[in-house]
Amino acid sequence: MTGLSDSFQRPINYLRISVTDRCNLRCVYCMPFSGVDELAHEDILRYEEIDTIARAAAEMGIDKVRLTGGEPLVRAGLPELVAMLADIETIDDISLTTNGTMLAKHAAELKKAGLNRVNISLDTLKPERLPSITRSDAELADVLEGIEAARGVGLEPVKLNMVVIPGVNDDEVLDFAAKTIDEEWHVRFIELMPVNGENKAPQFVAASDMKKTIDKLGKLEPCLPSVGNGPAKYFRLPNARGTIGFITPVSEHFCFNCNRLRLTADGKLRPCLMSDYEVDLKEPLRGGVAAEGLKKLIEEAVANKPQQHHIAEGDVPRQRPFSQVGG
Ligand code: SAM
Ligand code: SF4
């Protein structure tokens, strides 16, 4: 196995795979208000095709994969894909990002197939607020059940992602932080990123302001992540069982440490979430490209990975909503 690194000497070892652009929710920060045109079924990569790409990427040095969406659990048979990926010897971490609404009924099967852990998006602890944030009839109880089910089968650590939206749920930062004291909750506060020209910077709550709010509960002490080495910076409140992470794409970008590639549901490889540049893998794959050809295309995407994004200056991707790239 050879290591993969980009033009700025960043090692690239992490592939996020969007398995579908479809979602049962329509979160305000993710889906454009006007909705999105769904990809045609035949344009979505089959599991075998994802497996072929993941195997080529693994031979080049990818050893961590995350399944995302849209909502990955709306795609039938996800455990089959997990099992295929778990069969790739050099991939040592398989995780899933989900909105949690359907996790309770799939958690055991996913674990059995080889999934290691889950991140669950949870933007409010108020049941009456969830429908307006998700523009759906989502029930908080289902997400909480999903969290417990994941824990129950050992898909741990369960990380909870909260996108902090000014004027919508920023009044809950303290409640989420307080939850980490008595429960082993690993909460990550994410600064709202502008996408699709809809949420323009600087309408976000900076992590520094979230920290000031949380100070009321005690002094945050830096700590190590429970697992992984992603972009979040972790802290713990005094004697807390859980941890608090901050993901700061807007106020303090972490591009210099970025180790990721993203595969869209329709088979485009994106070296940067915040850039529209992508390399098509699907058509070459369907045209019978050999593994070496596929690797060349992966190298091309890596070679064109931008040094950093410029969202603070209003430079945002416009061609796809997050729901198609997987966040
Ligand atoms: N449906 C799954 C979920 O909600 O967890 C997976 C896909 S979702 C696009 C992946 C992540 O992107 C979620 O954690 C979500 O919070 C994050 N995300 C989406 N839009 C965002 C935005 N505008 N700013 C910050 N995070 C965003
Ligand atoms: Fe769906 Fe996840 Fe986007 Fe919400 S954040 S609309 S759950 S893909």
Side-chain angles (χ1 to χ4, degrees), residues 61-106:
I62 295 292
D63 58 11
K64 269 163 68 103
V65 296
R66 173 173 297 277
L67 302 178
T68 173
E71 172 48 41
L73 290 175
V74 302
R75 182 153 177 188
L78 194 67
E80 284 167 41
L81 176 64
V82 172
M84 287 175 180
L85 299 173
D87 192 47
I88 304 175
E89 219 170 285
T90 51
I91 291 184
D92 55 28
D93 187 31
I94 307 174
S95 55
L96 171 77
T97 298
T98 171
N99 62 39
T101 54
M102 291 174 286
L103 185 57
K105 63 172 178 286
H106 297 291

Side-chain angles (χ1 to χ4, degrees), residues 75-268:
R75 182 153 177 188
L78 194 67
E80 284 167 41
L81 176 64
V82 172
M84 287 175 180
L85 299 173
D87 192 47
I88 304 175
E89 219 170 285
T90 51
I91 291 184
D92 55 28
D93 187 31
I94 307 174
S95 55
L96 171 77
T97 298
T98 171
N99 62 39
T101 54
M102 291 174 286
L103 185 57
K105 63 172 178 286
H106 297 291
E109 209 188 339
L110 288 165
K111 174 72 184 173
K112 197 163 157 231
L115 188 72
N116 298 110
R117 57 198 178 89
V118 289
N119 287 5
I120 300 176
S121 298
L122 178 60
D123 301 315
T124 180
L125 297 171
K126 297 181 192 292
E128 69 284 5
R129 206 174 249 188
L130 199 60
S132 60
I133 295 180
T134 61
R135 297 183 187 126
S136 74
D137 57 2
E139 304 248 1
L140 182 64
D142 291 338
V143 184
L144 297 176
E145 209 188 316
I147 295 171
E148 286 319 310
R151 281 220 193 109
V153 300
L155 287 172
E156 291 178 297
V158 176
K159 295 182 186 169
L160 302 175
N161 289 341
M162 185 220 195
V163 178
V164 182
I165 319 164
V168 173
N169 65 355
D170 53 340
D171 57 342
E172 292 190 61
V173 166
L174 203 60
D175 297 344
F176 271 86
K179 274 284 205 186
T180 68
I181 298 175
D182 295 328
E183 300 201 37
E184 216 185 311
W185 274 31
H186 300 289
V187 173
R188 292 148 22 118
F189 295 110
I190 305 177
E191 290 175 352
L192 176 66
M193 286 184 266
V195 274
N196 238 31
E198 284 221 338
N199 348 294
K200 291 193 174 45
Q203 288 171 347
F204 69 102
V205 181
S208 51
D209 289 327
M210 299 177 206
K211 281 183 190 152
K212 279 183 206 146
T213 304
I214 297 170
D215 266 352
K216 292 178 194 135
L217 293 171
K219 190 171 159 36
L220 282 171
E221 293 293 346
C223 66
L224 291 173
S226 39
V227 67
N229 60 348
K233 289 197 181 124
Y234 286 94
F235 298 84
R236 200 183 280 277
L237 282 165
N239 302 318
R241 295 182 62 201
T243 58
I244 295 174
F246 297 95
I247 303 185
T248 57
V250 191
S251 70
E252 194 184 345
H253 75 76
F254 32 79
C255 304
F256 48 84
N257 259 340
C258 184
N259 61 348
R260 338 177 141 189
L261 295 174
R262 292 176 164 84
L263 181 65
T264 66
D266 57 343
K268 312 283 193 271

